[in-house]
Coordinates of all heavy atoms in Angstrom, one line a residue:
M1 N -233.6 -12.4 69.0 CA -232.7 -11.5 68.4 C -231.3 -11.9 68.9 O -231.0 -11.7 70.1 CB -233.0 -10.1 68.9 CG -234.3 -9.5 68.4 SD -234.6 -8.0 69.2 CE -235.2 -8.6 70.8
A2 N -230.6 -12.4 68.0 CA -229.2 -12.7 68.4 C -228.5 -11.3 68.4 O -228.9 -10.4 67.9 CB -228.6 -13.6 67.4
L3 N -227.3 -11.3 69.1 CA -226.5 -10.1 69.2 C -225.4 -10.2 68.1 O -225.1 -11.2 67.6 CB -226.0 -10.0 70.6 CG -227.0 -9.9 71.7 CD1 -226.4 -9.8 73.0 CD2 -227.8 -8.6 71.4
L4 N -224.8 -9.0 67.9 CA -223.8 -8.9 66.8 C -222.7 -8.0 67.4 O -223.0 -7.0 68.0 CB -224.4 -8.2 65.6 CG -223.5 -7.7 64.5 CD1 -223.0 -9.0 63.7 CD2 -224.2 -6.8 63.5
I5 N -221.5 -8.5 67.2 CA -220.3 -7.7 67.6 C -219.9 -6.7 66.5 O -219.6 -7.4 65.4 CB -219.2 -8.5 68.2 CG1 -219.6 -9.3 69.4 CG2 -218.0 -7.7 68.5 CD1 -218.6 -10.2 70.0
T6 N -219.9 -5.5 66.6 CA -219.5 -4.6 65.5 C -218.0 -4.4 65.4 O -217.2 -5.0 66.1 CB -220.1 -3.3 65.8 OG1 -219.4 -2.6 66.8 CG2 -221.6 -3.3 66.0
D7 N -217.6 -3.7 64.4 CA -216.2 -3.5 64.1 C -215.5 -2.5 65.1 O -214.3 -2.2 65.0 CB -215.9 -3.0 62.6 CG -216.6 -1.8 62.3 OD1 -217.3 -1.1 63.2 OD2 -216.5 -1.3 61.1
K8 N -216.3 -2.1 66.1 CA -215.8 -1.3 67.2 C -215.0 -2.1 68.2 O -214.3 -1.7 69.0 CB -216.9 -0.5 67.9 CG -217.6 0.5 67.2 CD -218.7 1.1 68.0 CE -219.4 2.2 67.2 NZ -220.5 2.9 68.1
C9 N -215.2 -3.5 68.0 CA -214.5 -4.4 68.9 C -213.0 -4.2 69.0 O -212.4 -4.1 67.9 CB -214.9 -5.9 68.5 SG -214.1 -7.2 69.5
T10 N -212.5 -4.2 70.1 CA -211.0 -4.1 70.4 C -210.3 -5.4 70.8 O -209.2 -5.4 71.1 CB -210.7 -3.0 71.4 OG1 -211.2 -3.4 72.7 CG2 -211.2 -1.7 71.0
N11 N -211.1 -6.5 70.7 CA -210.6 -7.8 71.0 C -210.0 -7.8 72.5 O -208.9 -8.4 72.7 CB -209.5 -8.2 70.0 CG -210.1 -8.4 68.7 OD1 -211.2 -8.8 68.4 ND2 -209.3 -8.1 67.7
C12 N -210.8 -7.2 73.4 CA -210.3 -7.2 74.8 C -210.4 -8.5 75.5 O -210.0 -8.5 76.7 CB -211.0 -6.0 75.5 SG -212.8 -6.5 75.8
D13 N -211.1 -9.4 74.9 CA -211.3 -10.8 75.5 C -212.2 -10.8 76.7 O -212.3 -11.8 77.4 CB -209.9 -11.4 75.9 CG -209.0 -11.5 74.8 OD1 -209.4 -11.8 73.7 OD2 -207.7 -11.2 75.0
M14 N -213.1 -9.8 77.0 CA -214.0 -9.7 78.0 C -215.2 -10.6 77.8 O -215.8 -11.2 78.7 CB -214.4 -8.3 78.4 CG -213.2 -7.5 78.9 SD -212.6 -8.0 80.4 CE -213.9 -7.6 81.5
C15 N -215.8 -10.6 76.5 CA -217.1 -11.2 76.2 C -217.0 -12.7 76.2 O -218.0 -13.4 76.6 CB -217.6 -10.6 75.0 SG -216.6 -10.8 73.5
E16 N -216.0 -13.3 75.5 CA -216.0 -14.7 75.2 C -216.2 -15.5 76.5 O -217.0 -16.4 76.5 CB -214.8 -15.1 74.5 CG -214.7 -16.6 74.2 CD -213.4 -17.0 73.6 OE1 -212.3 -16.3 73.8 OE2 -213.4 -18.0 72.8
P17 N -215.4 -15.4 77.5 CA -215.6 -16.2 78.7 C -217.0 -16.0 79.4 O -217.4 -16.9 80.2 CB -214.5 -16.0 79.6 CG -214.0 -14.6 79.2 CD -214.4 -14.5 77.8
E18 N -217.6 -14.9 79.2 CA -218.9 -14.6 79.9 C -220.1 -15.3 79.2 O -221.1 -15.3 79.8 CB -219.1 -13.1 80.0 CG -218.1 -12.4 80.8 CD -218.2 -12.8 82.3 OE1 -219.3 -13.0 82.7 OE2 -217.1 -12.9 82.8
C19 N -220.0 -15.8 78.0 CA -221.1 -16.3 77.3 C -221.5 -17.7 77.8 O -220.7 -18.6 77.6 CB -220.9 -16.3 75.8 SG -222.3 -17.0 74.8
P20 N -222.7 -17.8 78.3 CA -223.1 -19.1 78.9 C -223.4 -20.1 77.9 O -223.4 -21.3 78.1 CB -224.3 -18.8 79.7 CG -224.9 -17.6 79.1 CD -223.8 -16.8 78.5
N21 N -223.6 -19.7 76.6 CA -223.9 -20.7 75.5 C -222.7 -21.0 74.6 O -222.9 -21.8 73.7 CB -225.0 -20.1 74.6 CG -226.3 -20.0 75.4 OD1 -226.6 -20.9 76.2 ND2 -227.1 -19.0 75.2
G22 N -221.6 -20.3 74.9 CA -220.4 -20.6 74.0 C -220.6 -20.0 72.6 O -220.0 -20.5 71.7
A23 N -221.4 -19.0 72.5 CA -221.8 -18.5 71.2 C -220.6 -17.4 70.6 O -220.7 -17.1 69.5 CB -223.1 -17.7 71.3
I24 N -219.7 -17.0 71.5 CA -218.7 -16.1 71.1 C -217.4 -16.8 70.8 O -217.0 -17.5 71.7 CB -218.6 -15.0 72.1 CG1 -219.9 -14.2 72.4 CG2 -217.5 -14.0 71.7 CD1 -220.0 -13.3 73.4
S25 N -216.8 -16.4 69.7 CA -215.5 -16.9 69.4 C -214.7 -15.8 68.5 O -215.4 -15.0 68.0 CB -215.6 -18.3 68.6 OG -216.3 -18.0 67.4
M26 N -213.4 -16.1 68.5 CA -212.7 -15.1 67.6 C -212.9 -15.4 66.2 O -212.8 -16.4 65.7 CB -211.2 -15.3 68.0 CG -210.3 -14.3 67.2 SD -210.8 -12.6 67.4 CE -209.5 -11.9 68.3
G27 N -213.2 -14.3 65.5 CA -213.4 -14.3 64.0 C -212.2 -14.0 63.3 O -211.1 -14.0 63.9
E28 N -212.3 -13.6 62.1 CA -211.0 -13.3 61.3 C -210.4 -12.0 61.8 O -209.2 -11.9 61.9 CB -211.5 -13.1 59.8 CG -210.2 -12.9 59.0 CD -210.6 -12.9 57.5 OE1 -211.7 -13.3 57.1 OE2 -209.7 -12.5 56.7
Y29 N -211.2 -11.0 62.2 CA -210.6 -9.8 62.7 C -211.0 -9.4 64.2 O -210.2 -8.9 65.0 CB -210.9 -8.6 61.8 CG -210.5 -8.8 60.4 CD1 -211.3 -9.1 59.4 CD2 -209.1 -8.7 60.1 CE1 -210.9 -9.3 58.1 CE2 -208.7 -8.9 58.8 CZ -209.6 -9.2 57.8 OH -209.1 -9.4 56.5
V30 N -212.3 -9.7 64.5 CA -212.8 -9.4 65.8 C -213.7 -10.6 66.3 O -213.9 -11.5 65.5 CB -213.7 -8.1 65.8 CG1 -212.9 -6.8 65.4 CG2 -214.9 -8.3 64.9
Y31 N -214.1 -10.5 67.5 CA -214.9 -11.6 68.0 C -216.2 -11.6 67.3 O -216.7 -10.6 66.8 CB -215.2 -11.4 69.5 CG -214.0 -11.9 70.4 CD1 -213.1 -11.1 70.9 CD2 -214.0 -13.2 70.7 CE1 -212.0 -11.5 71.6 CE2 -212.9 -13.7 71.5 CZ -212.0 -12.8 71.9 OH -210.9 -13.3 72.7
E32 N -216.9 -12.7 67.2 CA -218.1 -12.9 66.5 C -219.1 -13.8 67.4 O -218.6 -14.5 68.2 CB -218.0 -13.7 65.2 CG -217.1 -13.0 64.2 CD -216.7 -13.8 62.9 OE1 -217.1 -15.0 62.9 OE2 -216.3 -13.2 61.9
I33 N -220.4 -13.5 67.1 CA -221.4 -14.3 67.9 C -222.1 -15.2 66.9 O -222.6 -14.7 65.9 CB -222.4 -13.3 68.5 CG1 -221.6 -12.4 69.5 CG2 -223.5 -14.1 69.2 CD1 -222.5 -11.3 70.2
N34 N -222.2 -16.5 67.2 CA -222.9 -17.5 66.5 C -224.4 -17.3 66.7 O -224.8 -17.5 67.9 CB -222.5 -18.8 66.7 CG -223.2 -19.9 66.0 OD1 -224.3 -19.8 65.4 ND2 -222.6 -21.1 66.0
P35 N -225.2 -16.8 65.8 CA -226.6 -16.5 66.1 C -227.4 -17.8 66.5 O -228.5 -17.7 67.1 CB -227.1 -15.8 64.8 CG -226.2 -16.3 63.8 CD -224.9 -16.4 64.4
D36 N -227.0 -19.0 66.0 CA -227.6 -20.2 66.4 C -227.5 -20.6 67.9 O -228.2 -21.3 68.4 CB -227.1 -21.4 65.5 CG -227.5 -21.2 64.1 OD1 -228.5 -20.5 63.7 OD2 -226.7 -21.6 63.2
L37 N -226.5 -19.9 68.5 CA -226.2 -20.3 69.9 C -226.6 -19.1 70.8 O -226.7 -19.3 72.0 CB -224.7 -20.6 70.1 CG -224.2 -21.8 69.3 CD1 -222.7 -22.1 69.7 CD2 -225.0 -23.1 69.8
C38 N -226.8 -17.9 70.3 CA -227.1 -16.7 71.1 C -228.5 -16.6 71.5 O -229.4 -16.7 70.6 CB -226.7 -15.4 70.4 SG -227.0 -14.0 71.3
T39 N -228.8 -16.6 72.7 CA -230.1 -16.4 73.3 C -230.3 -15.1 74.0 O -231.2 -14.9 74.8 CB -230.5 -17.5 74.3 OG1 -229.6 -17.4 75.4 CG2 -230.4 -18.9 73.7
E40 N -229.3 -14.2 73.8 CA -229.2 -12.9 74.6 C -229.3 -13.2 76.1 O -229.9 -12.4 76.8 CB -230.4 -12.0 74.2 CG -230.2 -11.5 72.7 CD -231.2 -10.3 72.4 OE1 -231.6 -9.6 73.4 OE2 -231.5 -10.3 71.2
C41 N -228.8 -14.3 76.4 CA -228.7 -14.8 77.9 C -230.1 -15.1 78.5 O -230.2 -15.3 79.7 CB -228.0 -13.8 78.7 SG -226.2 -13.8 78.4
K42 N -231.2 -15.2 77.6 CA -232.5 -15.5 78.1 C -232.4 -16.9 78.8 O -231.7 -17.8 78.3 CB -233.5 -15.5 77.0 CG -233.8 -14.2 76.4 CD -234.4 -13.2 77.3 CE -234.7 -11.9 76.6 NZ -234.9 -10.8 77.3
G43 N -232.9 -17.1 80.0 CA -232.8 -18.3 80.7 C -231.6 -18.5 81.6 O -231.6 -19.3 82.5
H44 N -230.7 -17.5 81.3 CA -229.4 -17.5 82.1 C -229.5 -16.4 83.1 O -229.3 -16.3 84.3 CB -228.2 -17.6 81.4 CG -227.9 -18.9 80.7 ND1 -227.5 -20.0 81.2 CD2 -228.1 -19.1 79.3 CE1 -227.3 -20.9 80.4 NE2 -227.7 -20.5 79.2
Y45 N -229.6 -15.2 82.5 CA -229.4 -13.8 83.2 C -230.5 -12.9 82.7 O -231.1 -13.1 81.7 CB -228.0 -13.2 82.9 CG -226.9 -14.2 83.1 CD1 -226.1 -14.7 82.2 CD2 -226.6 -14.5 84.5 CE1 -225.1 -15.6 82.5 CE2 -225.5 -15.4 84.8 CZ -224.7 -15.9 83.8 OH -223.7 -16.7 84.0
D46 N -230.6 -11.8 83.4 CA -231.6 -10.7 83.1 C -231.1 -9.9 81.9 O -231.9 -9.4 81.2 CB -231.8 -9.8 84.3 CG -232.5 -10.5 85.5 OD1 -233.2 -11.5 85.2 OD2 -232.3 -10.0 86.6
Q47 N -229.8 -9.7 81.7 CA -229.2 -8.9 80.7 C -228.1 -9.8 79.9 O -227.5 -10.6 80.6 CB -228.7 -7.7 81.2 CG -229.5 -6.8 81.8 CD -228.8 -5.5 82.3 OE1 -227.6 -5.5 82.5 NE2 -229.6 -4.4 82.6
P48 N -227.9 -9.5 78.7 CA -226.8 -10.2 78.0 C -225.5 -9.8 78.7 O -225.1 -8.6 78.8 CB -226.8 -9.6 76.6 CG -228.2 -9.2 76.4 CD -228.6 -8.7 77.7
T49 N -224.8 -10.9 79.1 CA -223.5 -10.6 79.9 C -222.4 -10.0 79.1 O -221.6 -9.3 79.5 CB -223.0 -11.8 80.6 OG1 -222.7 -13.0 79.6 CG2 -223.9 -12.3 81.7
C50 N -222.4 -10.4 77.8 CA -221.4 -9.8 76.9 C -221.5 -8.3 76.8 O -220.5 -7.6 76.8 CB -221.5 -10.4 75.5 SG -223.0 -10.2 74.6
Q51 N -222.7 -7.7 76.7 CA -223.0 -6.3 76.7 C -222.6 -5.7 78.0 O -222.0 -4.6 78.0 CB -224.4 -6.0 76.4 CG -224.7 -6.2 75.0 CD -226.2 -5.9 74.7 OE1 -227.1 -6.1 75.5 NE2 -226.5 -5.5 73.5
S52 N -222.8 -6.5 79.1 CA -222.5 -5.9 80.4 C -221.0 -5.7 80.7 O -220.6 -4.8 81.3 CB -223.1 -6.8 81.5 OG -224.5 -6.9 81.5
V53 N -220.2 -6.7 80.1 CA -218.7 -6.6 80.4 C -218.0 -5.9 79.3 O -216.9 -5.5 79.6 CB -218.2 -8.0 80.6 CG1 -218.8 -8.7 81.8 CG2 -218.3 -8.8 79.3
C54 N -218.6 -5.5 78.2 CA -217.9 -4.9 77.1 C -217.7 -3.4 77.4 O -218.5 -2.7 77.9 CB -218.7 -4.9 75.8 SG -218.0 -4.1 74.4
P55 N -216.3 -3.1 77.3 CA -216.0 -1.7 77.7 C -216.3 -0.6 76.6 O -216.2 0.6 76.8 CB -214.5 -1.8 78.0 CG -214.0 -2.9 77.0 CD -215.2 -3.8 77.0
I56 N -216.7 -1.1 75.5 CA -217.0 -0.2 74.4 C -218.5 0.0 74.2 O -219.2 -0.9 73.9 CB -216.4 -0.8 73.0 CG1 -214.9 -1.1 73.2 CG2 -216.6 0.3 71.9 CD1 -214.0 0.1 73.5
N57 N -219.0 1.2 74.3 CA -220.4 1.5 74.0 C -220.9 1.2 72.7 O -220.2 1.5 71.7 CB -220.7 3.0 74.3 CG -220.6 3.4 75.7 OD1 -220.7 2.6 76.6 ND2 -220.4 4.7 76.0
N58 N -222.0 0.5 72.7 CA -222.6 0.1 71.3 C -221.7 -0.7 70.4 O -221.8 -0.8 69.2 CB -223.0 1.4 70.6 CG -224.0 2.1 71.4 OD1 -225.0 1.5 71.9 ND2 -223.9 3.5 71.3
C59 N -220.9 -1.5 71.0 CA -220.1 -2.5 70.3 C -220.9 -3.7 70.0 O -220.6 -4.4 69.0 CB -218.7 -2.8 71.0 SG -217.7 -4.0 70.3
I60 N -221.6 -4.1 70.9 CA -222.5 -5.4 70.8 C -223.9 -5.0 70.8 O -224.5 -4.3 71.7 CB -222.3 -6.3 72.0 CG1 -220.8 -6.7 72.1 CG2 -223.2 -7.6 71.8 CD1 -220.4 -7.5 73.4
I61 N -224.5 -5.2 69.6 CA -225.9 -4.7 69.3 C -226.7 -5.8 68.8 O -226.3 -7.0 68.6 CB -225.8 -3.6 68.1 CG1 -225.3 -4.2 66.8 CG2 -225.0 -2.5 68.6 CD1 -225.4 -3.4 65.6
T62 N -228.1 -5.5 68.7 CA -229.0 -6.5 68.2 C -228.7 -6.8 66.7 O -228.5 -5.8 66.0 CB -230.4 -6.0 68.3 OG1 -230.8 -5.8 69.7 CG2 -231.4 -6.9 67.7
D63 N -228.6 -8.0 66.3 CA -228.3 -8.3 65.0 C -229.6 -8.2 64.1 O -230.5 -9.0 64.3 CB -227.8 -9.8 65.0 CG -227.3 -10.2 63.6 OD1 -227.6 -9.5 62.5 OD2 -226.6 -11.3 63.5
P64 N -229.5 -7.3 63.2 CA -230.8 -7.0 62.4 C -231.1 -8.2 61.5 O -232.2 -8.3 60.9 CB -230.5 -5.8 61.6 CG -229.0 -5.7 61.6 CD -228.6 -6.4 62.9
Q65 N -230.1 -9.1 61.2 CA -230.4 -10.3 60.3 C -231.0 -11.4 61.0 O -231.3 -12.4 60.4 CB -229.1 -10.7 59.8 CG -228.4 -9.6 58.9 CD -229.2 -9.2 57.7 OE1 -229.8 -10.1 57.0 NE2 -229.3 -7.9 57.4
H66 N -231.0 -11.3 62.4 CA -231.5 -12.4 63.2 C -232.5 -12.0 64.3 O -232.1 -12.0 65.5 CB -230.3 -13.3 63.9 CG -229.5 -13.8 62.8 ND1 -228.4 -13.2 62.4 CD2 -229.5 -15.0 62.2 CE1 -227.8 -14.0 61.4 NE2 -228.5 -15.1 61.3
I67 N -233.6 -11.5 63.9 CA -234.6 -11.0 64.9 C -235.4 -12.2 65.4 O -235.9 -13.0 64.6 CB -235.5 -10.0 64.2 CG1 -234.7 -8.8 63.5 CG2 -236.6 -9.5 65.1 CD1 -234.0 -8.0 64.6
E68 N -235.5 -12.4 66.7 CA -236.3 -13.4 67.3 C -237.0 -12.9 68.5 O -236.6 -11.9 69.1 CB -235.3 -14.4 67.9 CG -234.6 -15.2 66.8 CD -233.5 -16.1 67.3 OE1 -232.4 -15.5 67.8 OE2 -233.6 -17.3 67.3
S69 N -238.2 -13.4 68.7 CA -239.0 -12.9 69.9 C -238.4 -13.5 71.2 O -237.6 -14.4 71.1 CB -240.4 -13.5 69.8 OG -240.5 -14.8 69.9
E70 N -238.8 -13.0 72.4 CA -238.5 -13.5 73.6 C -238.8 -15.0 73.8 O -237.9 -15.8 74.2 CB -239.0 -12.8 74.8 CG -238.5 -13.1 76.1 CD -238.8 -12.2 77.3 OE1 -239.2 -11.1 77.0 OE2 -238.7 -12.7 78.4
E71 N -240.0 -15.4 73.2 CA -240.4 -16.8 73.3 C -239.5 -17.7 72.4 O -239.1 -18.8 72.9 CB -241.8 -17.0 72.7 CG -242.9 -16.3 73.7 CD -243.0 -14.8 73.6 OE1 -242.6 -14.2 72.4 OE2 -243.4 -14.2 74.4
Q72 N -239.0 -17.1 71.3 CA -238.1 -17.9 70.5 C -236.8 -18.1 71.1 O -236.1 -19.2 71.0 CB -238.0 -17.3 69.1 CG -239.2 -17.4 68.2 CD -239.0 -16.5 67.0 OE1 -238.7 -15.3 67.0 NE2 -239.3 -17.2 65.8
L73 N -236.3 -17.1 71.8 CA -235.0 -17.1 72.5 C -235.1 -18.1 73.7 O -234.2 -18.9 73.9 CB -234.6 -15.7 72.9 CG -234.2 -14.7 71.9 CD1 -234.1 -13.3 72.5 CD2 -233.0 -15.1 71.2
L74 N -236.2 -18.1 74.4 CA -236.4 -19.1 75.4 C -236.4 -20.5 74.9 O -235.9 -21.4 75.5 CB -237.5 -18.7 76.3 CG -237.4 -17.4 77.2 CD1 -238.7 -17.1 77.8 CD2 -236.3 -17.7 78.3
E75 N -237.1 -20.7 73.9 CA -237.2 -22.0 73.2 C -235.8 -22.5 72.8 O -235.4 -23.6 72.9 CB -238.2 -21.9 71.9 CG -238.3 -23.3 71.3 CD -239.3 -23.2 70.2 OE1 -240.4 -22.7 70.4 OE2 -239.0 -23.6 69.1
K76 N -235.0 -21.6 72.2 CA -233.6 -21.9 71.8 C -232.8 -22.3 73.1 O -232.1 -23.3 73.1 CB -233.0 -20.8 71.1 CG -231.7 -21.1 70.5 CD -230.9 -19.9 69.9 CE -231.6 -18.9 69.1 NZ -230.7 -17.9 68.5
F77 N -233.0 -21.5 74.2 CA -232.4 -21.9 75.4 C -232.6 -23.3 75.9 O -231.8 -24.0 76.3 CB -232.8 -20.9 76.5 CG -232.5 -21.3 77.9 CD1 -231.2 -21.2 78.4 CD2 -233.5 -21.8 78.8 CE1 -230.9 -21.6 79.7 CE2 -233.2 -22.3 80.0 CZ -231.9 -22.2 80.5
V78 N -233.9 -23.6 75.9 CA -234.4 -25.0 76.3 C -233.7 -26.1 75.4 O -233.1 -27.1 75.9 CB -235.9 -25.1 76.2 CG1 -236.3 -26.6 76.4 CG2 -236.5 -24.3 77.2
I79 N -233.6 -25.9 74.1 CA -233.0 -26.8 73.2 C -231.5 -26.9 73.4 O -230.9 -28.0 73.6 CB -233.3 -26.4 71.7 CG1 -234.8 -26.6 71.4 CG2 -232.4 -27.2 70.8 CD1 -235.3 -26.0 70.2
L80 N -230.8 -25.7 73.6 CA -229.4 -25.7 73.8 C -229.0 -26.3 75.1 O -227.9 -26.9 75.2 CB -228.8 -24.3 73.7 CG -228.8 -23.6 72.4 CD1 -228.5 -22.1 72.6 CD2 -227.9 -24.3 71.5
Q81 N -229.8 -26.3 76.1 CA -229.5 -26.8 77.4 C -230.0 -28.3 77.6 O -229.8 -28.9 78.6 CB -230.2 -26.0 78.5 CG -229.7 -24.5 78.6 CD -228.2 -24.5 78.8 OE1 -227.6 -25.1 79.6 NE2 -227.6 -23.7 78.0
G82 N -230.6 -28.8 76.5 CA -231.0 -30.2 76.5 C -232.2 -30.5 77.4 O -232.4 -31.5 77.9
L83 N -233.0 -29.4 77.6 CA -234.2 -29.5 78.6 C -235.4 -30.0 77.8 O -236.5 -30.2 78.4 CB -234.4 -28.2 79.3 CG -233.2 -27.6 80.0 CD1 -233.5 -26.2 80.6 CD2 -232.9 -28.6 81.1
A84 N -235.3 -30.0 76.4 CA -236.5 -30.4 75.7 C -236.6 -32.0 75.5 O -235.7 -32.7 75.4 CB -236.5 -29.7 74.3

């Protein structure tokens, strides 16, 4: 399950530097998460750091268009880190 930044985003710049996979970047209006790079911090942290630092409740949610199991997220982590 990749995460999604909603239109509640205030562009506070808190999430982008916290992403260990570089999945967050500025979009046309608000920050966006690249689902191909988002592992919900599996392999890095216990919780997604972007959600932890975001000052807006429910601004960063599970992306319903990119549902992945924990195993799939960990597999993506291995590939992204060049461990495979």
Side-chain angles (χ1 to χ4, degrees):
M1 296 172 284
L3 298 174
L4 173 73
I5 299 174
T6 68
D7 60 3
K8 293 180 182 181
C9 178
T10 61
N11 297 325
C12 70
D13 302 321
M14 294 293 292
C15 61
E16 181 186 24
E18 294 297 322
C19 181
N21 296 322
I24 300 174
S25 62
M26 182 51 115
E28 188 172 344
Y29 301 106
V30 296
Y31 279 96
E32 297 177 347
I33 297 176
N34 180 337
D36 293 332
L37 299 177
C38 180
T39 62
E40 292 190 28
C41 292
K42 298 289 184 205
H44 291 284
Y45 306 110
D46 292 333
Q47 298 179 341
T49 58
C50 60
Q51 287 178 327
S52 298
V53 300
C54 182
I56 308 298
N57 287 335
N58 299 316
C59 178
I60 303 174
I61 61 171
T62 299
D63 185 344
Q65 301 297 318
H66 297 95
I67 304 297
E68 296 169 288
S69 69
E70 185 167 345
E71 293 79 22
Q72 288 171 310
L73 292 170
L74 286 171
E75 183 177 308
K76 190 189 313 184
F77 163 79
V78 168
I79 292 168
L80 291 171
Q81 298 303 310
L83 303 173

